[in-house]
Amino acid sequence: LDGDPAMPSQPGKMRPVFLRMAAVLAVAVLAGASALLLFSGPRERTYATPVGGHEVVSFADGSKIELNTTTVLRARMTDSGRMAELVKGEAFFQIQHDASRPFVVTAAGYRVTDLGTKFLVRRDGDRLEVTLVEGSARVDPANPDAHGKSAVLTPGDRVFATAQGLKITKKTAPALANEMAWRRGLLIFNHATLEEAAAEFNRYNSQKLVIANPSVARRTIGGTFPTSGVEEFAEVAKGVFGLHVKNQGNDIVISPLARSHIEQEQQGGICK
């Protein structure tokens, strides 16, 4: 026999054939892997921040979720939709709108559906706040059988949602900017009571502010502070209002200045 006709007479000519076959096999393997990733089912992940924590989560579609202090969020992306559950805390959502894959946030018995928007969601137990920054969003009861009220939000709208229903208020642009200053590591107060300011600081710090007197708690204050500025705030309260500030373990207690302390200060003493 002169040779097997199925084999080329020149070995060098075999190389392009094998290279083409290898390329086809590689494409098939990659296509199979992509299909596995695409159709292997929902991809769910939990994100969490500690006290004082701050994290930005980015997704392949260009959407971003910014988590504030002590926040837990579960996100699940599927071929038909995008879902997130705010278990606790606060998050700012910047969503790339896709009508074929709506982005839905559930929290405290309600569902927030993106209609092309940026919005802020804060959950404290069963109490929910949704503030629309840009675009549009719809808030509905998460249970389809519930007879609760629904609302479509426009920029500046804030919804307070409880088991009893929805209440909508309006925020000015400056007030909304102040409220979201945590994204820059700041707390901005404008005629906030000391009680309200202390509650905000306590969200971001393990060292807690304690307002020990109702009359002191009702006093109002304004100013800009770093989220970690517990001691700075206490010193401002002391200087502006003449209050007594004392460290007690992990607490900073703010209270009225007792008469003995006033006399001590007048005599040049130091209040601890």
Side-chain angles (χ1 to χ4, degrees):
L1 295 176
D2 293 332
D4 188 346
M7 299 295 292
S9 58
Q10 297 181 23
K13 293 183 179 179
M14 296 173 60
R15 185 170 297 170
V17 175
F18 283 113
L19 288 175
R20 285 196 295 272
M21 291 177 63
V24 170
L25 287 171
V27 170
V29 170
L30 288 174
S34 298
L36 180 63
L37 288 173
L38 188 62
F39 300 110
S40 60
R43 296 169 292 281
E44 182 172 301
R45 184 172 174 184
T46 299
Y47 304 90
T49 55
V51 174
H54 181 195
E55 180 180 354
V56 179
V57 180
S58 299
F59 297 92
D61 65 356
S63 298
K64 293 181 180 180
I65 304 177
E66 194 166 349
L67 278 62
N68 199 1
T69 177
T70 54
T71 295
V72 177
L73 179 133
R74 298 191 186 102
R76 182 174 60 172
M77 303 298 174
T78 70
D79 300 329
S80 59
R82 301 166 293 169
M83 291 147 279
E85 178 191 3
L86 184 63
V87 179
K88 69 173 184 176
E90 184 175 28
F92 178 54
F93 295 81
Q94 301 177 75
I95 303 304
Q96 293 294 323
H97 183 61
D98 182 349
S100 66
R101 298 176 67 237
F103 198 105
V104 178
V105 181
T106 59
Y110 283 87
R111 181 178 61 238
V112 184
T113 303
D114 149 59
L115 301 176
T117 186
K118 298 179 181 179
F119 56 95
L120 185 68
V121 182
R122 178 172 170 178
R123 178 178 182 177
D124 295 312
D126 292 332
R127 185 174 182 271
L128 181 69
E129 294 179 24
V130 181
T131 306
L132 189 72
V133 177
E134 181 181 303
S136 182
R138 188 176 70 248
V139 180
D140 306 287
N143 181 359
D145 297 328
H147 299 291
K149 183 180 176 182
S150 298
V152 175
L153 309 184
T154 58
D157 283 349
R158 168 184 277 181
V159 169
F160 294 91
T162 66
Q164 286 70 45
L166 304 178
K167 178 182 177 183
I168 302 177
T169 61
K170 200 76 174 179
K171 298 281 289 187
T172 64
L176 187 54
N178 289 350
E179 183 177 336
M180 297 180 64
W182 60 264
R183 300 176 62 207
R184 309 193 310 273
L186 299 174
L187 292 176
I188 301 177
F189 303 115
N190 184 21
H191 298 295
T193 66
L194 291 187
E195 182 178 36
E196 292 168 340
E200 279 300 295
F201 273 110
N202 290 345
R203 295 176 63 206
Y204 295 86
N205 299 276
S206 55
Q207 187 178 32
K208 305 300 183 184
L209 287 167
V210 177
I211 310 298
N213 181 280
S215 64
V216 171
R218 290 191 295 268
R219 298 191 184 189
T220 59
I221 193 170
T224 300
F225 302 85
T227 55
S228 60
V230 178
E231 294 184 352
E232 292 91 330
F233 177 81
E235 286 302 312
V236 169
K238 178 182 177 179
V240 171
F241 299 113
L243 298 172
H244 180 53
V245 174
K246 183 177 181 180
N247 289 310
Q248 291 184 346
N250 204 41
D251 296 336
I252 298 178
V253 180
I254 301 176
S255 59
L257 201 61
R259 181 176 297 277
S260 59
H261 290 100
I262 296 174
E263 293 173 352
Q264 194 176 30
E265 281 196 340
Q266 291 174 344
Q267 296 171 5
I270 299 174
C271 293
K272 296 183 180 180

